[in-house]
Amino acid sequence: MADAVVFDMDGVLVESEHLWERLWTAFAAERGKQWGPEQTKSCQGMSAPEWAAFLTEFAGAGDSAADTERTVVDGMIKALEDGEIELLPGALEMITDAAARGPIALASSAPRRVIDAVLAHHGVDHHFKATVSSAEVPRGKPSPDVYLAAADKLGVPAADCLAVEDSSNGLRAAAAAGMTVVAIPNPGYPPAADALAGAAHRAADHDDVRRYLLSRLAESSQLTESSQSKEGDRA
């Protein structure tokens, strides 16, 4: 049973992981360094200040971490405006149907500027009762901080939340928060076996996720209705 859902954004709601990688690679290349899959893997799940510090040190060209972050985030906003960041197939139905059953939140490694722009651009921002960027908590994923903050903003215990994730560090973060984890593996960046092992359900696609969420939220709703009915009978 569950009372709320917390979604990741990159790779769960929108197809954008490859754009982060493209921008990190370009930033490094412009400074004479070759960014590769290992660097991308290291950065996935990091908050913006964390990956900006990593990229700045890797590039070694004397940029400040703040300037590095601004350059990459500007690139993501441009990609959004150019139509490169689309909702994944089935994501809209997943969001709207889950929000109709219970409160939903977002727990993302993306910076606040990107979160707000993406949700507004696709007209889904009003569905979310809370959104948290990992830049707004002490530690990024795989630490549970961003998920715990999202649950706190919803006013729902983390143990009573479902979490939808695609990446290794995201799956680890949600599990560490004590949430029931739904994995929707990203084929381009497949999660590690140990991260998948912490998921209660491994979904084949977004419709699979949607049906699973509704079944769990429906159970919670039915239980509440049944409890209220029994209390009314006793009264």
Side-chain angles (χ1 to χ4, degrees), residues 113-135:
R113 184 176 161 208
V114 174
I115 291 172
D116 292 346
V118 167
L119 296 184
H121 179 83
H122 291 296
V124 296
D125 48 328
H126 64 286
H127 289 299
F128 291 87
K129 302 299 183 186
T131 60
V132 184
S133 165
S134 58

Side-chain angles (χ1 to χ4, degrees), residues 10-31:
D10 294 308
V12 170
L13 303 187
V14 293
E15 187 65 69
S16 50
E17 295 279 15
H18 67 292
L19 297 174
W20 289 111
E21 182 174 36
R22 185 179 79 188
L23 290 162
W24 293 333
T25 301
F27 184 94
E30 288 168 2
R31 289 152 182 81

Side-chain angles (χ1 to χ4, degrees), residues 64-175:
S64 70
D67 286 342
T68 299
E69 179 180 340
R70 187 178 307 108
T71 298
V72 173
V73 170
D74 284 349
M76 284 298 287
I77 297 299
K78 184 178 187 305
L80 177 66
E81 293 170 347
D82 290 346
E84 291 190 80
I85 305 179
E86 295 299 325
L87 287 174
L88 285 158
L92 179 59
E93 294 80 5
M94 178 183 70
I95 294 166
T96 55
D97 287 0
R101 289 283 179 88
I104 67 171
L106 190 78
S108 175
S109 297
R112 168 58 57 187
R113 184 176 161 208
V114 174
I115 291 172
D116 292 346
V118 167
L119 296 184
H121 179 83
H122 291 296
V124 296
D125 48 328
H126 64 286
H127 289 299
F128 291 87
K129 302 299 183 186
T131 60
V132 184
S133 165
S134 58
E136 298 161 355
V137 295
R139 300 168 297 175
K141 301 170 184 178
S143 295
D145 302 28
V146 69
Y147 275 102
L148 293 173
D152 185 61
K153 283 193 170 188
L154 288 177
V156 177
D160 295 331
C161 293
L162 297 160
V164 185
E165 267 287 359
D166 68 308
S167 68
S168 293
N169 283 339
L171 291 164
R172 293 175 182 128

